[in-house]
Amino acid sequence: MNADFGKYNEVKLVAKNENSVALEFSIPDTSPYFDGHFPGFPVLPAVAQVDLVVRLASEHFGINIGISKINRVKFLNSIRPEIPLVLFIEIDRGNIVFKFSSPGGETVYSSGTMTISQY
């Protein structure tokens, strides 16, 4: 596997409590997440966004998380390479609620709720 797969630029912790975390970062234009999506106009695919939510939630809450069901996800705007992102993640009664937005919150890129399993 490519060592750069799934890499993101430095993550800044914006806020954290027992059940939620807000993180600021960007995805470098060299990330394989963008391979094939789409030549000349790279965008972060939906599956990569879900992967980032699971990986960063697992890391920041100190548990291994799996997704058993995607309840609702909305992809509102394209996430391009190097765009500053804020990812808000909340764990609530067996669900992960997430939102990718711009640092000021004026643009929401995607949001959703997924049922999780811990293993």
Side-chain angles (χ1 to χ4, degrees):
M1 178 182 278
N2 184 325
D4 287 333
F5 188 80
K7 286 221 170 182
Y8 35 84
N9 291 326
E10 182 179 347
V11 175
K12 175 184 171 187
L13 181 63
V14 177
K16 184 175 181 180
N17 65 36
E18 183 180 317
N19 297 338
S20 66
V21 65
L23 307 164
E24 188 172 344
F25 62 98
S26 64
I27 311 295
D29 60 357
T30 57
S31 173
Y33 275 149
F34 295 111
D35 288 354
H37 292 89
F38 294 95
F41 191 82
V43 297
L44 190 65
V47 69
Q49 293 178 49
V50 170
D51 179 61
L52 284 165
V53 170
V54 170
R55 288 172 12 136
L56 290 167
S58 294
E59 179 181 325
H60 285 276
F61 293 112
I63 55 177
N64 289 323
I65 294 173
I67 298 297
S68 61
K69 180 180 177 186
I70 296 177
N71 302 324
R72 175 190 58 82
V73 178
K74 293 182 181 182
F75 300 98
L76 304 169
N77 291 290
S78 298
I79 297 176
R80 306 262 307 159
E82 306 293 344
I83 289 177
L85 300 168
V86 172
L87 173 57
F88 173 80
I89 304 169
E90 180 179 23
I91 295 182
D92 181 35
R93 293 174 280 177
N95 291 311
I96 286 183
V97 178
F98 74 92
K99 178 171 69 170
F100 282 96
S101 67
S102 59
E106 61 277 351
T107 303
V108 174
Y109 296 102
S110 63
S111 63
T113 304
M114 301 180 285
T115 302
I116 61 172
S117 58
Q118 296 178 17
Y119 54 92

